[in-house]
């Protein structure tokens, strides 16, 4: 009996629980919805939310050892997967509405989400010490992705969505789960794919959904073991590299998405004056920063480095 208990605790799916099976199933469903929101909202990370709700560690262990009690673990994560799908679809509707005439303003809200979580992410990145080379990695990765996005400019953002681009988008979404703190939506906004993705999900367009799902699954399966190894061996360097990507990609959104909204054409399309558009942007940025900062205080109770 004692050996059986030890074996059960080693399973990636099983955790000590006191809830009855029905309640527990719905709790995992709700956790999935929360993580799904992180996938669809820019500035948030599905991986971070999975950490907070206590699902990241068992999920990564399951994905890294798929053959170990596969059916049992699959049934454990089924409500979580259903919830994640529900969260993505529900918030795709919200996002599509937000990315109408006030796209630039709502982008400021999402950039605020990034700004609010940065202190917590920076603190977490230095939990195992911070060397000058880590700061250099952060600066170089931020500058690199910023220049890439800025110089790439219209050549990248004007590419029409197709199966390959949706497959790549799915790979990015998978990284959002594998790498806590990374928000793929920042990159999708820049590439002009984000609002189209939200519309495709909302309309159940399987030409969008199927390659997204395939790319997501491929990324998670291929990189779960690699990510766990890299974060365990090169924790500080990896986190500072990711922080740089988050900073650079967020800053690149301003000249490519936000600033054009303040031209005469952009203001006319939104029906706003320059002062009104600016106030709207600032208000949403501040709201996003405050909400995200409060959210990050909760996140700090679940240190990310313990899951690798």
């Amino acid at each position: 009996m004692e050996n059986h208990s030890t074996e059960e605790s080693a399973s990636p799916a099983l955790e000590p629980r006191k809830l009855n099976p029905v309640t527990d199933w719905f709790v995992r469903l709700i956790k999935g919805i929360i993580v799904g929101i992180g996938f669809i909202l820019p500035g948030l990370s599905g991986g971070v939310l999975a950490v907070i709700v206590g699902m990241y560690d068992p999920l990564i262990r399951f994905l890294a050892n798929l053959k170990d009690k596969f059916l049992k673990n699959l049934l454990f994560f089924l409500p979580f997967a259903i919830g994640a799908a529900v969260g993505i679809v529900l918030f795709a509707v919200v996002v599509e509405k937000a990315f109408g005439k006030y796209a630039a303003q709502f982008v400021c809200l999402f950039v605020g989400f990034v700004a609010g979580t940065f202190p917590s992410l920076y603190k977490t990145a230095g939990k195992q010490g911070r060397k000058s080379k880590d700061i250099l990695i952060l600066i170089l990765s931020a500058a690199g992705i910023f220049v890439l996005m800025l110089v790439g400019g219209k050549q990248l953002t004007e590419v029409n969505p197709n199966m390959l681009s949706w497959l790549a988008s799915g790979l990015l979404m998978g990284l959002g789960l594998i790498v806590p703190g990374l928000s793929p939506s920042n990159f999708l906004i820049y590439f002009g794919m984000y609002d189209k993705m939200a519309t495709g999900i909302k309309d159940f367009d399987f030409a969008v959904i199927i390659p997204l799902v395939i790319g997501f699954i491929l990324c998670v399966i291929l990189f779960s073991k690699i990510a766990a190894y890299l974060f365990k061996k090169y924790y500080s360097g990896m986190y500072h590299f990711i922080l740089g990507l988050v900073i650079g990609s967020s800053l690149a959104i301003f000249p490519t998405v936000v600033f054009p909204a303040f031209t005469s054409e952009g203001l006319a399309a939104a029906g706003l004056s320059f002062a009104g558009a600016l106030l709207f942007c600032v208000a949403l940025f501040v709201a996003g920063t405050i909400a995200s900062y409060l959210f990050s205080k909760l996140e700090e109770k679940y240190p990310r480095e313990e899951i690798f």
Side-chain angles (χ1 to χ4, degrees):
M1 185 70 178
E2 186 176 0
N3 292 335
H4 176 73
S5 175
T6 302
E7 180 180 275
E8 290 295 298
S9 64
S11 170
L14 297 180
E15 304 171 314
R17 302 189 302 276
K18 296 182 180 180
L19 300 175
N20 65 63
V22 175
T23 303
D24 192 25
W25 196 94
F26 279 103
V27 166
R28 276 178 273 139
L29 179 74
I30 293 171
K31 288 181 177 182
I33 292 174
I34 293 172
V35 173
I37 293 171
F39 284 129
I40 202 69
L41 278 182
L44 293 180
S45 164
V48 166
L49 291 172
V51 172
I52 291 175
V53 299
M55 294 297 288
Y56 185 93
D57 192 21
L59 182 60
I60 289 298
R61 283 185 283 141
F62 167 53
L63 294 171
N65 302 277
L66 284 173
K67 294 181 180 179
D68 183 22
K69 301 180 182 178
F70 176 77
L71 182 59
K72 189 174 185 179
N73 289 325
L74 183 65
L75 292 175
F76 176 86
F77 286 109
L78 180 61
F80 178 77
I82 294 173
V86 170
I88 290 172
V89 172
L90 288 179
F91 272 76
V93 177
V94 175
V95 165
E96 193 214 14
K97 299 297 183 184
F99 271 76
K101 58 193 298 188
Y102 303 122
Q105 285 72 29
F106 278 95
V107 164
C108 289
L109 173 68
F110 301 142
V111 174
F113 288 151
V114 177
T117 56
F118 181 79
S120 175
L121 292 174
Y122 187 78
K123 179 180 178 182
T124 301
K127 280 289 181 68
Q128 295 186 7
R130 198 189 319 271
K131 299 178 181 178
S132 57
K133 70 176 182 178
D134 297 321
I135 301 298
L136 181 61
I137 289 174
L138 186 152
I139 294 172
L140 290 177
S141 61
I145 197 65
F146 180 83
V147 170
L148 176 64
M149 290 185 163
L150 204 59
V151 173
K154 303 204 177 276
Q155 295 175 337
L156 293 175
T157 56
E158 289 179 358
V159 172
N160 291 325
N162 53 46
M163 187 181 72
L164 287 178
S165 60
W166 289 127
L167 187 67
S169 298
L171 289 169
L172 276 174
M173 299 301 287
L175 285 176
L177 175 62
I178 294 297
V179 184
L182 179 64
S183 178
S185 299
N186 290 350
F187 297 95
L188 295 177
I189 288 174
Y190 170 78
F191 289 123
M193 302 286 289
Y194 183 75
D195 54 336
K196 298 179 182 66
M197 179 189 71
T199 301
I201 293 173
K202 179 188 75 71
D203 295 338
F204 291 97
D205 183 352
F206 289 101
V208 174
I209 294 174
I210 290 176
L212 274 176
V213 171
I214 292 174
F216 180 86
I217 292 174
L218 284 175
C219 178
V220 169
I221 291 177
L222 292 174
F223 294 110
S224 57
K225 286 187 177 181
I226 296 175
Y229 171 79
L230 289 176
F231 271 88
K232 184 175 182 179
K233 191 170 181 64
Y234 306 107
Y235 175 88
S236 184
M238 283 295 295
Y239 247 113
H240 285 85
F241 174 74
I242 290 169
L243 276 178
L245 294 181
V246 170
I247 294 170
S249 63
S250 299
L251 291 178
I253 288 176
F254 283 96
T256 56
V257 179
V258 178
F259 293 165
F262 287 89
T263 62
S264 56
E265 295 84 0
L267 292 172
L272 296 170
S273 65
F274 183 89
L278 181 61
L279 183 61
F280 199 174
C281 283
V282 172
L284 288 182
F285 176 82
V286 171
T289 301
I290 293 174
S292 188
Y293 177 77
L294 295 175
F295 176 83
S296 70
K297 302 315 292 182
L298 173 63
E299 175 190 338
E300 288 178 355
K301 297 180 180 179
Y302 303 84
R304 282 187 291 270
E305 69 272 14
E306 293 179 3
I307 61 181
F308 294 106

